[in-house]
Structure formats: C-alpha cells, structure tokens
Amino acid sequence: MGDIDIEGIQSGTLNVKLDAGDIKLVDVVADKADIDVSLGNIRTEGIQTNALTAIANMGDIHLDGTLKGQNKISSDMGDIKIMPTLSKDQYTLNLDTQLGDIKVDGEQIGGAYQTNTNTENIIDARTSAGDIKIKFH
C-alpha cells in the first residue's frame, strides 16, 4: 500500500506491481515494461518502450510516450487515455469498452474500434467500465 514513483531510469525489463496506490513513471526507457496495480492509477510521462503491459483492475491508466511493439492496456473499472508520440498510421488499434465511449483524435467512435492496418506497433486497449481516449501527438 502506497505510491510508486520512478523517474529517469533505463531497463531491459521493468516489472512494477502494486496492490493499492498509484504508479507513476516519468522518462523511463525499457525494452519491456509490465505495470500492474489492483486498486489505483497508472500514469506515464515520456515513457519509451518496445512492449508494454499496463493493467489496473480498479483505476485509470494514462500513458504518454513512445509505445512501440505490442502494447496491452486493460482496466476493469476505469478510463484509459493514451497519448502516443508516433503517428496514427504507425499503429494497429484494437479498442474495446463494454460500458463507455471510445474517442480517437477527438472523433467519437462508440464501444469498439479496430484498424485493419498491419503494423509492427499495436495498441490493444480494453476496459469493462470506462472510456478509452487516444490522442496522437
């Protein structure tokens, strides 16, 4: 119980797990990052990764950074906001919410959205109860 703040590190693999509290990563570079919180929020600023898994059972997820490779983001109950530094055409998007809205670059989509592009960078974001917003830099 408590918060975890990590700033300015480089790692091959980064694993961060917390039962209750918030996780904040600032200017973190990791080849692979696994972030998991049961009750709390996940927030990144300036993250650079080639594979990201972010799970918040009850809490919001806010990701800002360079998300390359396979990125799996899920929240059972909470909003997901993603601000990737790469352009939209560099991603395959698979987005799904059971109870909430999806917006991509301000455009209201509905409850599910998938692009048919075949790129090496994938964002797979799912929430049971919450909104998903993606805003490309």
Side-chain angles (χ1 to χ4, degrees):
M1 191 148 138
D3 296 338
I4 296 175
D5 293 324
I6 300 172
E7 186 171 350
I9 67 163
Q10 293 186 6
S11 175
T13 300
L14 177 68
N15 293 307
V16 183
K17 185 171 176 130
L18 184 62
D19 288 328
D22 295 335
I23 297 172
K24 183 176 180 182
L25 307 177
V26 177
D27 297 329
V28 169
V29 178
D31 188 50
K32 181 179 183 199
D34 293 318
I35 308 163
D36 188 342
V37 63
S38 295
L39 179 60
N41 302 313
I42 297 171
R43 180 177 188 86
T44 71
E45 297 172 13
I47 193 169
Q48 296 178 41
T49 182
N50 293 317
L52 171 72
T53 300
I55 300 169
N57 292 332
M58 292 184 68
D60 297 334
I61 300 173
H62 181 154
L63 305 174
D64 185 335
T66 304
L67 307 175
K68 294 182 179 178
Q70 179 74 32
N71 300 281
K72 294 184 178 184
I73 300 109
S74 68
S75 175
D76 290 334
M77 187 179 293
D79 295 332
I80 297 172
K81 184 175 183 182
I82 306 168
M83 299 175 64
T85 57
L86 301 177
S87 63
K88 183 178 177 181
D89 63 351
Q90 292 181 282
Y91 285 101
T92 298
L93 303 175
N94 299 309
L95 314 175
D96 185 60
T97 179
Q98 300 300 309
L99 186 60
D101 296 317
I102 295 174
K103 283 187 181 179
V104 177
D105 275 342
E107 180 184 348
Q108 186 83 20
I109 304 296
Y113 179 76
Q114 184 173 14
T115 59
N116 293 322
T117 55
N118 189 15
T119 64
E120 61 185 40
N121 303 314
I122 300 167
I123 294 176
D124 189 341
R126 303 182 184 285
T127 181
S128 297
D131 297 332
I132 299 174
K133 295 178 185 172
I134 298 185
K135 175 74 174 151
F136 292 92
H137 284 272

